[in-house]
Every structure is written in C-alpha cells, then in structure tokens.
Amino acid sequence: MKKLLVSAAILLVATPCFCWGFYSHRKINYYACFLLPPEMLVFYRRHIDFISEHAVDPDKRRYLVPAEGPRHYIDIDHYGQYPFDSLPRDWKQAVEKYSEDTLARYGIVPWWIQVMLARLTSAFKEKSHTKILKLSAEIGHYISDAHVPLHTSSNHNGQFTNQQGIHGFWESRIPELLAETEWDFFIGKAAYVSNPLKFTWARVLESAAAADSVLRFEKELNDRFPGDLKFSMEERNGQLIRQYAAAYTKQYNRLLNNMVERRMRQSIFAVASFWYSAWVNAGQPDLKTLIHPGFSDEDLKEWERLNQQWKDGDRCETDRHLK
Ligand SMILES: [Zn+2]
C-alpha cells in the first residue's frame, strides 16, 4: 500500500509540464542589447536586468487581460495555403476582408508588433524613461513569438497530430538544454528597418513555412525512438518532472538542423533592430541624460498583479492562451 502511494505521488508531479518558455524570451532581450549602437547601449546596458526580466510580462498578462492572447500568434493556416496571399498584410484591408473578430480569433501578432513599435517610437520622442523600458521589454516578446513556427500554426501544440507538448519542446526544452553550452549569440549590429510591416511578415512566413518540419521531424523521431527512453525524470525547482530526455532532444535538434538556435539569433537581431529603428524614427534622442524617475505605484501594482495571476493560474495548461 505504501509503495502504491509513493508511486502515485511521483506520477502526480510527473505530469508533463512544458509550458515555461520564459528562458528564451529573457535571453533574446538580454543579447539584443549588445547589438545596439553606443548611444543606445549606454542606456540599455544599465537596465539590462529589467529588459530581460520583463520580456515575459506579456505572457503573464494573458491571465489578466482576455485580449492579450491573440497578440502572441497567428494561425495563418486558417487563411489557406502558403504564402497565404488571400490574407491582406495591411491591417485595415485585413479587417475589411475578414472582420476584426475573425482576425482576433486567429491571432494578430504581425499587426500588434506595429502597434508596439509606434508606442515605443512615441516613448522615445517623449523621452519617457519608464515607457522606453517597458515597451522595449514587451515588444521584444512579441517579435520573438513571431519567430516561433508553432506560433503561426493552428496545430500549435501538436494537438491534432498526437504530439502534445511539442510547443514547449521546441521553444523551451531545446534552448534550455543547448543554448548555454553549444550556441553562439554573437550576432553583430542592429540594422535600420525601413519597412517594419514587410519585415515582420517575412519572419511570420518563414515561421509558417517551418511549422511543417517542426511537426514532421518530431513524428518521425518518435516513430523510431525507443518509447521508454523518450522521457526522463528531472528535478526542476525542487520538483521531479517528466521531461523530454536529453538524447531525444539532441536528436530532434539535429533533425531540425539547429533551427531553434537560428530562430533565436534572428529574434535577437530583429528585436535590436526594432528598438534601434524606433529610436532613429524618434530623432535619436539623447539617452545618456535620461533620468530614471523610479517606477510609479501603478506600475509596481501592475507587476504585482501580473505575478499573482500568473502564479495562481494553471501554468501547465498548454492551450491556445498559453503559447
Ligand atoms: Zn508569448
């Protein structure tokens, strides 16, 4: 009986839990800072902890704000076949053709990035220390999400192909296992993006084109990999959890030909380039002289609420709203 209870307890904590994609978001914002020109680096470097830590606020906000979810993805396969020409790239034309409700239902990430870019540009014009920090951290999140193939597919967690968990496998497990030891994030310099909407759509279409490989390679590997070796038990934050085994993860990464590293590097470049473009478009304000007024009570309360909701939420759910 005692034995039975012990194994039941292990099983309880052994439920797959692949939904913490926070690691990569923080890393992307962190590394993006180093691509900036010296006039910006001086500011971003000073606040690199904030910019990295608050990269994950948009995911936490999903628990608080219902409209937040669709800002992180686009189920572009809803609109036909690659390259999805029937879907206007321009927001107004897309609304006219499909209605705002439909667009919201299938995700709006390419357009939401443009909204955030406009806000960040205004923040630079206003020389608002707080807004520049918050918006830089958050736009980094949405840009990175647009680089994830499964953020452009309705089969976002392999739920239609019996591959549940693949979402976190791709965006969390692989980078957490390999980024520190095997990947290189020396990327060069940020570039001015003259047409941000076009740039964004190019990344989204790349993601959409890659989604099929992300799913297919895992299926193939799963079919030939010994089933009892696919997962392993690992300790995480003092809890024993079932995780994709290291050998399985590395083989999948090889099949993907380092796709995750490539997309992370592209995300870093894109995030830095959008920050840089907002600053240029705002007239290159002098960031050296910006004084940090401290965060308002309102800001502090919002972060507290985000954290609380996130902690209270079912963080292991892998439904549409938790990508
Ligand atoms: Zn997200």
Side-chain angles (χ1 to χ4, degrees):
M1 183 66 191
K2 208 174 172 186
K3 239 183 189 172
L4 213 77
L5 280 176
V6 170
S7 45
I10 288 177
L11 269 179
L12 212 70
V13 291
T15 316
C17 185
F18 306 124
C19 59
W20 292 315
F22 286 9
Y23 173 86
S24 303
H25 279 302
R26 289 187 180 117
K27 287 279 167 202
I28 288 165
N29 275 10
Y30 178 89
Y31 285 112
C33 294
F34 298 99
L35 273 62
L36 295 170
E39 303 95 305
M40 293 183 79
L41 185 60
V42 65
F43 178 83
Y44 279 76
R45 187 112 205 216
R46 203 182 311 140
H47 300 290
I48 199 162
D49 288 343
F50 180 97
I51 303 250
S52 311
E53 195 46 46
H54 289 267
V56 298
D57 284 359
D59 271 346
K60 292 180 180 173
R61 193 172 293 117
R62 290 158 176 251
Y63 297 92
L64 211 60
V65 180
E68 181 62 36
R71 297 170 185 166
H72 300 241
Y73 64 87
I74 180 163
D75 289 346
I76 201 163
D77 48 334
H78 170 74
Y79 302 99
Q81 300 283 322
Y82 184 90
F84 315 99
D85 284 335
S86 64
L87 176 62
R89 301 333 191 210
D90 174 76
W91 170 252
K92 273 193 190 137
Q93 288 171 17
V95 168
E96 262 168 40
K97 185 163 181 185
Y98 289 103
S99 86
E100 203 164 334
D101 278 359
T102 303
L103 295 179
R105 189 167 329 126
Y106 296 101
I108 57 166
V109 67
W111 299 295
W112 187 250
I113 290 169
Q114 315 312 312
V115 171
M116 293 297 286
L117 183 63
R119 288 183 186 174
L120 179 59
T121 309
S122 300
F124 277 122
K125 281 184 188 156
E126 287 169 34
K127 291 192 169 196
S128 165
H129 194 290
T130 309
K131 283 189 196 167
I132 293 170
L133 281 183
K134 281 166 53 176
L135 291 162
S136 294
E138 296 202 9
I139 195 176
H141 182 103
Y142 301 108
I143 292 170
S144 307
D145 274 359
H147 283 72
V148 176
L150 291 178
H151 277 240
T152 61
S153 165
S154 57
N155 192 15
H156 58 89
N157 195 27
Q159 75 277 20
F160 301 144
T161 44
N162 200 23
Q163 293 173 281
Q164 282 89 347
I166 191 171
H167 193 96
F169 186 26
W170 193 100
E171 72 170 27
S172 298
R173 176 59 170 156
I174 294 178
E176 282 174 26
L177 188 70
L178 301 172
E180 302 291 342
T181 52
E182 297 190 17
W183 294 355
D184 166 27
F185 295 117
F186 186 75
I187 288 161
K189 286 182 184 162
Y192 180 74
V193 182
S194 53
N195 188 335
L197 184 68
K198 199 172 160 199
F199 180 100
T200 305
W201 274 105
R203 301 292 87 75
V204 166
L205 289 177
E206 285 163 7
S207 290
D212 178 53
S213 311
V214 167
L215 293 158
R216 188 162 37 86
F217 287 139
E218 201 279 329
K219 187 129 227 136
E220 281 171 20
L221 181 61
N222 177 65
D223 289 347
R224 63 182 156 83
F225 203 86
D228 55 335
L229 299 179
K230 183 175 173 181
F231 296 100
S232 63
M233 300 301 292
E234 281 183 22
E235 202 194 305
R236 188 169 176 146
N237 302 329
Q239 270 202 335
L240 205 53
I241 62 157
R242 196 165 74 115
Q243 185 64 279
Y244 287 97
Y248 191 79
T249 307
K250 285 180 182 172
Q251 279 215 34
Y252 181 46
N253 184 57
R254 259 197 298 278
L255 286 172
L256 290 171
N257 195 19
N258 275 332
M259 184 201 287
V260 184
E261 181 191 16
R262 222 164 32 247
R263 290 310 264 172
M264 238 174 123
R265 286 172 59 91
Q266 285 177 301
S267 300
I268 293 165
F269 172 76
V271 169
S273 297
F274 272 62
W275 291 344
Y276 175 59
S277 305
W279 176 71
V280 169
N281 291 342
Q284 308 193 0
D286 184 359
L287 303 179
K288 283 195 295 294
T289 54
L290 281 193
I291 298 162
H292 193 2
F295 294 109
S296 65
D297 284 351
E298 215 175 289
D299 284 331
L300 297 174
K301 267 189 204 137
E302 198 209 339
W303 290 321
E304 203 182 300
R305 268 207 326 272
L306 287 183
N307 277 331
Q308 199 51 50
Q309 288 287 327
W310 170 67
K311 279 182 192 145
D312 292 346
D314 177 4
R315 278 171 289 156
C316 287
E317 210 183 319
T318 43
D319 69 7
R320 160 58 73 219
H321 304 289
L322 286 165
K323 290 204 298 189

